[in-house]
């Protein structure tokens, strides 16, 4: 009997292994860049020709290799980076499998030049399809240069599978960006056909981001940082208005290694919820530092996937880090005012609104989440004074003679400061005014604040409804003549499915025969002219959002109802209403944007005003 099982010759084994490591020019670039970083380089140069099909060369000024190591580096499983299986669990360097150079040399023509600092001469090695062609001493600078030529020259089938140059180049740039982002302290250059594409000088992460993505990123980055005992998150997120419809500028690095994770991506996007549209993607570059013992990076040969011991905690920490960063960014304009004493005076001493201040308070207090619901119920009440035809409902009385008391718990002092507003029928001509019945302009001594009344009110209501949906505390006003509403079967099913959520918002809706509902009550804080119209409109809006965006039920309801019941353009406001609107806006967690991502206000600071006049 003949034995037919044989060991594969090395060259073939390498070619097969190469298939895992080197799928395209970009994957070779990634390995070569990582080797250069591992070698301690401070300057790395990349040369690309014909989208890497002809040449990918990486030149570094790292520690170089001895002649023996240079030869060894092309052997499979030859690595200087781990020695025992224990080391596998403490991997900090990029490479560790010792198969990149062997794989590349199996499917390309490779020329290596390398020199250590303490040796006079460098080593040159040429290898083609795993076959050593030349090894000799030459003179070359300290460091290593690896040139990979004619990838897949000996595997024509695979060469034919390479994509067009633009596609392959895109992959190359992606890999380059990832490594360049994770090492801002290293200088990188990239040349395509001898033309310089990138020249990134060593610097801070923010400078690196701008260097890679362009000047427009300046001023669009919000720092993000969260330190916990098991996991640190640092990096930058893009401001919500900078979000794009296309993906590609989302980067996670775990212990400086680029990874892909739709689960963690979700953690970031969910923190942006309500700030950007559902089809937009925020920019982010986030670095996670975690004890290597708690991760497994070896689940995928190209190592962009990763397993965490405790994925949920990682998710929660990232989400909270991003939320905090967004919060800090959003309160910024308000914090600006808080240091401004004059603004306080303008705000509090406005004679038109007969405001008295018991104790000193700063504008900052508007930002406290504790800005109580009770304290701002004045908005609707104040508002009602302006609504001649607003229907009155039993149980909703608010004697006008009484003073409305708005309380602002002060974050600084920890106790409550009181702002007493006497309702006034008078029209104000003070420091706030309306433009085009659409924008509220408030004066500050540092400039002007211009608020989009509709967007601002949508934001205020949205946050209120989200809260009510969570706490089931939406107050209801009873309808005097409860209307019935005949729906189509699909809408009827939709409404029945949402009854508990509708109830949380203050709707009291009952089944009333086939496909018909009876509207007993509507949210107390909504100015209703026609309950039926309100409810139908809500369902309509809900369905629109549902087809456009993949929102969950509550999120959709909160958005729909705030869209439906917000103040609209063209509605006249008196000065108290304007001030309450602005006050409530800044009491929101995310005052800068409407739930669907439109700006709620802009600040025109004095510097820009001066600049208009060339001062
Ligand atoms: P790994 O990086 O997984 O160890 P590689 O095949 O990528 O495997 O490299 C094999 C070895 O060659 C490395 O462990 C390292 O010692 C050496 N090496 C590769 N590239 C460089 C470089 N640019 N500078 C110095 N040494 C290098
Ligand atoms: Mg390597």
């Amino acid at each position: 009997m003949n034995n037919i099982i044989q060991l594969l010759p090395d060259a073939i084994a390498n070619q097969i292994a190469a298939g895992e490591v080197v799928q395209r020019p970009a994957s070779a670039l990634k390995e070569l860049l990582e080797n250069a970083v591992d070698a301690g380089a401070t300057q790395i140069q990349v040369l690309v020709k014909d989208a890497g099909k002809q040449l990918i060369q990486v030149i570094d000024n790292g520690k170089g290799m001895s002649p023996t190591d240079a030869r060894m580096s092309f052997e499979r499983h030859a690595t200087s980076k781990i020695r025992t299986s224990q080391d596998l669990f403490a991997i900090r360097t990029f490479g560790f499998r010792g198969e990149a150079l062997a794989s590349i040399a199996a499917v390309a023509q490779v020329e290596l030049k390398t020199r250590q600092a303490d040796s006079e001469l460098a080593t040159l090695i040429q290898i083609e399809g795993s076959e050593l062609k030349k090894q000799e001493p030459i003179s070359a600078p300290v460091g290593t240069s690896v040139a990979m030529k004619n990838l897949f020259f000996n595997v024509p089938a695979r060469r034919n599978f390479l994509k067009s140059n633009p596609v392959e180049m895109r992959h190359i740039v992606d890999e380059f960006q990832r490594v360049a982002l994770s090492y801002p302290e290293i200088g990188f250059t990239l040349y395509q056909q001898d033309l310089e594409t990138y020249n990134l000088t060593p610097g801070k992460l923010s400078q690196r981001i701008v260097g890679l993505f362009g000047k427009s990123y300046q001023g669009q980055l919000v720092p993000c940082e969260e330190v916990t005992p098991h996991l640190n998150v640092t990096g930058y997120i893009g401001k919500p208005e900078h979000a794009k419809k296309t993906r590609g500028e989302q980067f996670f690095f775990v212990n400086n290694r680029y990874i892909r994770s739709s689960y963690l991506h979700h953690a970031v996007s969910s923190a942006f919820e309500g700030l950007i549209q559902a089809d937009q993607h925020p920019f982010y570059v986030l670095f996670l530092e975690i004890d290597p013992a708690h991760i497994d990076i070896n689940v995928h040969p190209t190592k962009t996937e990763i397993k965490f011991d405790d994925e949920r905690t990682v998710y929660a920490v990232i989400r909270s880090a991003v939320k905090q960063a967004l919060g800090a960014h959003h309160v910024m304009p308000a914090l600006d005012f808080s240091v401004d004493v004059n603004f306080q005076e303008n705000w509090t001493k406005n004679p038109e609104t007969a405001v008295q201040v018991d104790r000193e308070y700063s504008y900052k207090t508007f930002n406290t989440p504790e800005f109580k619901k009770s304290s701002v119920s004045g908005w609707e009440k104040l508002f009602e004074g302006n609504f001649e035809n607003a229907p009155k409902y039993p149980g909703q009385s608010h004697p006008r003679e009484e003073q409305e008391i708005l309380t602002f718990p002060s974050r600084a002092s920890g106790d409550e400061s009181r702002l007493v507003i006497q309702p006034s029928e008078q029209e104000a001509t003070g420091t706030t005014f309306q433009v085009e019945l659409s924008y509220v302009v408030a004066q500050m001594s540092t400039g002007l604040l211009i608020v989009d009344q509709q967007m601002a009110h949508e934001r205020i209501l949205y946050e209120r409804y989200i809260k009510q949906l969570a706490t089931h505390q939406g107050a209801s006003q009873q309808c005097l003549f409860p209307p019935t509403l005949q729906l189509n079967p699909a809408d009827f099913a939709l409404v029945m499915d949402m009854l508990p959520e509708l109830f949380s918002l203050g709707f009291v809706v009952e089944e009333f025969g086939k496909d018909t509902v009876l509207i007993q009550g509507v949210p107390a804080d909504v100015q209703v002219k026609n309950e039926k119209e309100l409810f139908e409109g809500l369902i309509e809006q809900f369905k629109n959002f549902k087809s456009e965006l993949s929102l969950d039920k509550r999120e959709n309801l909160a958005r729909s109802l705030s869209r439906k019941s917000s103040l609209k353009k063209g509605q006249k406001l008196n000065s108290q209403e304007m001030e309450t609107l602005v006050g409530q806006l800044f009491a929101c967690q995310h005052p800068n944007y409407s739930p669907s991502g439109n700006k709620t206000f802009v600040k025109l600071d004095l510097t820009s005003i001066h600049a208009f006049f060339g001062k």
Side-chain angles (χ1 to χ4, degrees):
M1 222 198 297
N2 284 338
N3 294 326
I4 52 167
I5 297 181
Q6 292 183 349
L7 275 178
L8 284 175
D10 265 4
I12 299 181
N14 280 344
Q15 247 186 45
I16 294 171
E20 278 204 339
V21 182
V22 190
Q23 290 115 2
R24 52 173 18 123
S27 33
L29 174 66
K30 170 177 189 266
E31 297 293 338
L32 297 180
L33 283 174
E34 292 180 349
N35 281 349
V37 169
D38 283 347
T42 57
Q43 188 65 44
I44 298 174
Q45 194 182 346
V46 179
L47 310 179
V48 176
K49 284 193 176 148
D50 197 19
K53 295 170 184 171
Q54 191 191 329
L55 173 78
I56 285 201
Q57 183 170 11
V58 174
I59 305 166
D60 69 55
N61 63 352
K63 64 178 191 259
M65 286 177 265
S66 70
T68 315
D69 282 353
R71 179 65 194 90
M72 271 295 283
S73 68
F74 289 101
E75 295 297 320
R76 263 177 86 203
H77 306 302
T79 178
S80 55
K81 297 167 194 171
I82 49 174
R83 304 215 177 261
T84 69
S85 63
Q86 279 303 307
D87 294 349
L88 264 177
F89 298 96
I91 290 157
R92 285 281 180 183
T93 50
F94 265 131
F96 57 89
R97 296 155 62 112
E99 57 188 3
L101 285 184
S103 300
I104 292 169
V107 290
Q109 299 161 332
V110 175
E111 186 176 270
L112 167 82
K113 290 180 204 160
T114 186
R115 191 187 132 199
Q116 291 179 310
D118 57 3
S119 61
E120 297 243 306
L121 281 176
T123 307
L124 166 77
I125 286 182
Q126 286 175 351
I127 281 194
E128 288 181 13
S130 300
E131 215 177 295
L132 182 69
K133 294 281 175 186
K134 193 187 255 181
Q135 171 158 12
E136 64 186 31
I138 52 157
S139 66
V142 172
T144 303
S145 152
V146 182
M148 178 189 83
K149 294 176 190 164
N150 304 318
L151 178 62
F152 299 137
F153 79 103
N154 54 350
V155 207
R158 300 208 52 191
R159 192 165 171 95
N160 292 337
F161 268 106
L162 292 178
K163 299 277 176 349
S164 68
N165 281 10
V167 173
E168 293 299 342
M169 200 57 215
R170 182 67 243 164
H171 285 287
I172 287 177
V173 170
D174 282 348
E175 293 297 352
F176 178 82
Q177 286 182 340
R178 291 165 190 167
V179 179
L181 274 176
S182 50
Y183 291 92
E185 69 280 8
I186 299 178
F188 288 89
T189 51
L190 173 69
Y191 290 85
Q192 276 184 73
Q193 316 285 91
D194 302 323
L195 282 178
E196 187 182 275
T197 311
Y198 290 101
N199 185 351
L200 307 167
T201 50
K204 291 195 215 129
L205 175 61
S206 53
Q207 293 164 322
R208 180 55 49 95
I209 294 173
V210 172
L212 279 168
F213 300 109
K215 285 244 158 56
S216 68
Y217 284 70
Q218 237 157 12
Q220 290 299 333
L221 303 173
V222 185
C224 184
E225 184 161 6
E226 177 95 41
V227 177
T228 73
H230 305 291
L231 169 70
N232 297 344
V233 181
T234 54
Y236 287 92
I237 55 173
K239 291 184 182 172
E241 63 258 43
H242 202 62
K244 293 185 179 159
K245 294 240 159 136
T246 51
R247 280 195 65 167
E249 296 182 348
Q250 291 77 33
F251 300 89
F252 275 120
F253 297 90
V254 175
N255 296 345
N256 250 10
R257 184 188 301 271
Y258 171 80
I259 60 137
R260 254 184 268 262
S261 164
S262 49
Y263 182 67
L264 299 186
H265 173 71
H266 190 268
V268 179
S269 350
S270 77
F272 271 87
E273 202 169 77
L275 297 173
I276 59 176
Q277 283 161 25
D279 58 348
Q280 289 184 320
H281 306 286
F283 172 87
Y284 59 82
V285 180
L286 293 175
F287 290 85
L288 280 60
E289 268 293 321
I290 189 166
D291 179 347
H294 294 298
I295 51 177
D296 179 2
I297 37 183
N298 205 4
V299 292
H300 195 274
T302 56
K303 297 170 261 174
T304 54
E305 277 156 33
I306 196 164
K307 270 195 183 138
F308 298 93
D309 273 3
D310 183 1
E311 230 178 13
R312 286 163 151 250
T313 307
V314 177
Y315 184 99
V317 172
I318 291 179
R319 186 163 187 269
S320 116
V322 174
K323 279 214 146 190
Q324 262 183 43
L326 284 168
H329 154 59
H330 284 112
V331 299
M332 244 155 46
L335 288 176
D336 285 354
F337 318 152
S338 72
V339 294
D340 184 347
V341 184
N342 295 325
F343 176 68
Q344 271 180 41
E345 281 176 4
N346 286 340
W347 196 261
T348 55
K349 287 188 187 159
N350 180 352
E352 310 307 320
T353 47
V355 169
Q356 309 157 8
V357 179
D358 285 5
R359 255 172 279 167
E360 210 190 12
Y361 81 97
S362 84
Y363 194 77
K364 199 200 245 166
T365 55
F366 279 120
N367 281 300
T368 57
E370 307 81 38
F371 187 97
K372 286 180 188 158
K373 185 176 177 286
S374 66
S375 72
V376 294
S377 62
W379 161 250
E380 286 73 26
K381 297 182 181 179
L382 287 166
F383 204 50
E384 206 175 274
N386 217 33
F387 264 59
E388 292 93 318
N389 335 339
K392 291 270 184 295
Y393 294 95
Q396 262 221 315
S397 70
H398 26 266
R400 210 159 273 172
E401 321 75 68
E402 258 175 40
Q403 288 193 337
E404 290 297 337
I405 296 179
L406 300 176
T407 53
F408 301 92
S410 156
R411 192 192 287 170
S413 61
D415 55 11
E416 292 204 339
S417 313
R418 300 193 141 194
L419 171 69
V420 184
I421 295 183
Q422 262 166 1
S424 138
E425 301 288 305
Q426 262 176 290
E427 259 318 296
T429 51
T431 50
T432 49
F433 58 91
Q434 228 178 344
V435 177
E436 278 223 297
L437 297 181
S438 304
Y439 301 101
V440 172
V441 182
Q443 189 191 324
M444 310 170 281
S445 73
T446 54
L448 294 175
L449 183 69
I450 306 170
V451 177
D452 181 320
Q453 63 190 46
Q454 181 173 344
M455 293 306 134
H457 199 210
E458 262 187 44
R459 161 56 57 184
I460 295 165
L461 293 176
Y462 167 79
E463 292 201 3
R464 182 178 306 167
Y465 295 144
I466 283 286
K467 221 188 207 157
Q468 290 176 356
L469 283 164
T471 55
H472 314 289
Q473 276 174 356
S476 186
Q477 53 185 334
Q478 218 189 331
C479 302
L480 278 184
F481 305 101
T484 58
L485 187 61
Q486 167 92 42
L487 299 162
N488 68 42
D491 289 359
F492 181 77
L494 188 73
V495 171
M496 288 300 121
D497 179 48
M498 294 194 301
L499 280 183
E501 286 83 9
L502 287 168
F503 188 73
S504 297
L505 288 171
F507 281 101
V508 183
V509 180
E510 281 170 20
E511 196 176 340
F512 198 74
K514 188 177 180 307
D515 296 340
T516 305
V517 290
L518 179 71
I519 306 171
Q520 296 268 32
V522 293
D525 57 7
V526 174
Q527 296 294 332
V528 219
K529 291 174 206 92
N530 180 337
E531 297 95 349
K532 208 163 153 173
E533 196 267 336
L534 170 75
F535 193 76
E536 272 177 327
L538 174 66
I539 302 303
E540 210 42 50
Q541 186 61 58
F542 185 92
K543 288 193 300 187
N544 281 345
F545 277 146
K546 200 172 165 183
S547 63
E548 283 167 23
L549 319 161
S550 54
L551 302 171
D552 76 39
K553 200 163 45 172
R554 288 180 176 189
E555 168 82 16
N556 188 343
L557 262 180
R559 283 204 198 186
S560 301
L561 188 56
S562 58
R563 169 77 54 95
K564 193 66 202 131
S565 58
S566 69
L567 245 173
K568 298 292 180 296
K569 293 191 189 317
Q571 259 169 286
K572 198 165 165 44
L573 304 176
N574 69 32
S575 73
Q576 285 166 0
E577 292 157 0
M578 290 189 261
E579 295 192 1
T580 316
L581 181 74
V582 177
Q584 290 189 350
L585 177 64
F586 286 100
C588 287
Q589 266 189 308
H590 296 293
N592 287 43
Y593 299 91
S594 77
S596 42
N598 296 308
K599 270 193 188 164
T600 52
F601 70 90
V602 292
K603 228 181 107 185
L604 195 57
D605 56 41
L606 271 182
T607 339
S608 337
I609 298 177
H610 288 320
F612 290 145
F613 299 97
K615 285 181 209 159

